[in-house]
Amino acid sequence: MRTFPLAQQLGPLDAPGPREAMRKPDRSPGRTKPWRKLKNMVHWSPCIVSFRKRYPWVQLAGHAGNFKAGDLGRILKKYCSNEQQCLERLASDILQPYVPAYYGLVEHDGEAYIQMEDLLSGFDVPSIMDCKMGVRTYLEEELEKAREQPCPRRDMYDKMVAVDPAAPSPEEHAQRGVLKPRYMQWREALSSTTTLGFRIEGIKKADGACSTSFKKTRQPEQVAQAIWDFVDHDRHVLVSYLERLKDVRLALEQSDFFKAHEVVGSSLLFVHDRTGLARIWMIDFGKTVPLPAKQTLTHRLPWVEGNREDGYLWGLDNLITILEKMLSE
């Protein structure tokens, strides 16, 4: 496995390919997907993929080749220019303590991978929860592209019917297909993504119990019950999570990176273990894109197509409020 120096800061979205990025000199500061059925996960992030013997429950089917074991305390994720640029920029941002450390690009079996911190390496048999943040998990550009080239999708129809057989229209039933924009918006409206600005993607507990049945979890009371179960009603762990969420929010509100990026499809990764250690990190930046020059987002205003608001902070505010209420009861 060849290791390359950290790629230099890259311009927005017209980035060079991985080989060109790997040839750039090191100019970094000092340090350096949703849950499916269990056998088809993980869309979460490489950050939970500490491999094989340590975490045999991790399955990568459906993302074959995306993840590789790295050196001790590190993992590899298949190269994505958006994610690579985000991690590199975040290394010098106030958000740095709340994202995986970035260790540059490596080449493995002829393919480029992002090398980053394994966030589970310091935990003893951890419990893990993934919360997808924001009011949508698709970029506005995805909607535009799908409208320009409308094509009913059988796979999306099948997914819709599996959750709610009455969801497709008579026309969609007849053609046994739905358009991608229609499916994406239906999927978001089904969960707390639209009602709370975040949704629980999945939970894996230390005893091996896993749950992915949160597609219709919409109300704060349902979210609270899922979180209580996740922490085994341990108030100490919940207090630690609440403090960490508030720290993340403060950093986000001060972050130059966050102000200048549309953050879509990103998650908060919750990890705790039997020792009481509890941490939260921001993960998954494949759909995080820079805004046009001089444009910024509040991350709290309602999304209207064209304004690019993602609702990240609105969702975080709601998540914090839920935990505060849980602790007050």
Side-chain angles (χ1 to χ4, degrees):
M1 181 172 68
R2 298 177 62 200
T3 303
F4 295 81
L6 218 60
Q8 70 173 13
Q9 196 88 337
L10 300 174
L13 290 192
D14 54 347
R19 295 185 182 279
E20 287 77 9
M22 287 189 287
R23 285 197 290 267
K24 298 291 184 180
D26 185 349
R27 296 182 185 175
S28 66
R31 183 186 177 185
T32 66
K33 280 178 168 150
W35 273 51
R36 304 182 188 281
K37 300 292 184 182
L38 213 34
K39 291 184 180 179
N40 290 324
M41 69 190 235
V42 72
H43 180 65
W44 289 0
S45 153
C47 303
I48 63 160
V49 185
S50 291
F51 293 82
R52 300 186 176 108
K53 293 183 180 179
R54 291 185 60 224
Y55 301 106
W57 53 272
V58 172
Q59 301 290 332
L60 297 178
H63 301 277
N66 279 4
F67 302 101
K68 299 283 185 184
D71 296 332
L72 184 64
R74 300 182 184 186
I75 45 132
L76 308 180
K77 183 178 183 181
K78 203 166 186 177
Y79 175 79
C80 165
S81 61
N82 273 6
E83 186 146 40
Q84 184 263 337
Q85 290 176 64
C86 287
L87 289 172
E88 189 172 65
R89 291 167 179 166
L90 284 164
S92 58
D93 189 83
I94 195 172
L95 288 172
Q96 188 277 326
Y98 308 106
V99 300
Y102 171 62
Y103 298 111
L105 301 178
V106 300
E107 187 177 288
H108 186 87
D109 294 334
E111 292 194 76
Y113 289 84
I114 298 169
Q115 184 174 212
M116 65 182 76
E117 177 185 8
D118 172 8
L119 298 176
L120 296 192
S121 61
F123 290 87
D124 181 16
V125 192
S127 294
I128 302 160
M129 179 171 71
D130 176 282
C131 282
K132 190 71 69 179
M133 301 303 296
V135 295
R136 56 191 168 91
T137 58
Y138 50 85
L139 294 166
E140 292 189 359
E141 288 79 359
E142 292 181 86
L143 288 179
E144 295 168 5
K145 184 177 179 181
R147 291 193 189 107
E148 291 170 359
Q149 301 175 337
C151 178
R153 295 274 298 271
R154 174 62 185 268
D155 60 330
M156 293 181 175
Y157 170 82
D158 290 341
K159 291 176 184 177
M160 184 181 285
V161 169
V163 175
D164 182 0
S169 68
E171 181 183 356
E172 289 166 341
H173 275 304
Q175 65 187 8
R176 301 182 70 80
V178 298
L179 297 176
K180 186 175 181 180
R182 151 89 163 121
Y183 173 79
M184 290 190 294
Q185 293 173 331
W186 167 82
R187 180 190 61 189
E188 310 297 26
L190 196 66
S191 71
S192 59
T193 291
T194 53
T195 58
L196 296 173
F198 71 91
R199 69 172 182 249
I200 299 175
E201 287 286 277
I203 290 173
K204 182 268 174 185
K205 297 177 69 175
D207 62 6
C210 294
S211 179
T212 63
S213 56
F214 301 102
K215 289 183 177 66
K216 295 185 178 181
T217 300
R218 291 174 50 86
Q219 302 305 319
E221 296 78 13
Q222 295 173 300
V223 173
Q225 183 56 51
I227 294 175
W228 273 130
D229 182 66
F230 169 57
V231 301
D232 288 321
H233 293 267
D234 188 324
R235 294 179 65 87
H236 171 75
V237 170
L238 198 63
V239 167
S240 295
Y241 277 144
L242 179 58
E243 291 174 352
R244 181 78 168 182
L245 285 174
K246 290 180 176 180
D247 289 343
V248 170
R249 180 170 65 180
L250 181 61
L252 286 167
E253 291 172 336
Q254 297 174 358
S255 167
D256 292 332
F257 175 93
F258 192 59
K259 289 185 180 73
H261 283 76
E262 180 183 359
V263 184
V264 170
S266 182
S267 290
L268 288 177
L269 183 71
F270 293 66
V271 188
H272 69 270
D273 64 19
R274 57 191 174 186
T275 71
L277 180 63
R279 295 287 186 272
I280 299 172
W281 289 274
M282 297 175 64
I283 59 171
D284 291 338
F285 299 102
K287 288 188 177 182
T288 295
V289 295
L291 298 168
K294 297 184 180 181
Q295 182 179 355
T296 59
L297 299 180
T298 68
H299 301 280
R300 284 191 172 100
L301 287 175
W303 174 60
V304 177
E305 191 170 349
N307 72 2
R308 301 187 69 166
E309 288 285 352
D310 51 43
Y312 194 111
L313 280 177
W314 180 63
L316 184 52
D317 290 339
N318 287 331
L319 183 54
I320 288 172
T321 297
I322 288 172
L323 265 64
E324 288 177 332
K325 185 177 180 180
M326 291 168 64
L327 288 167
S328 71
E329 294 174 345

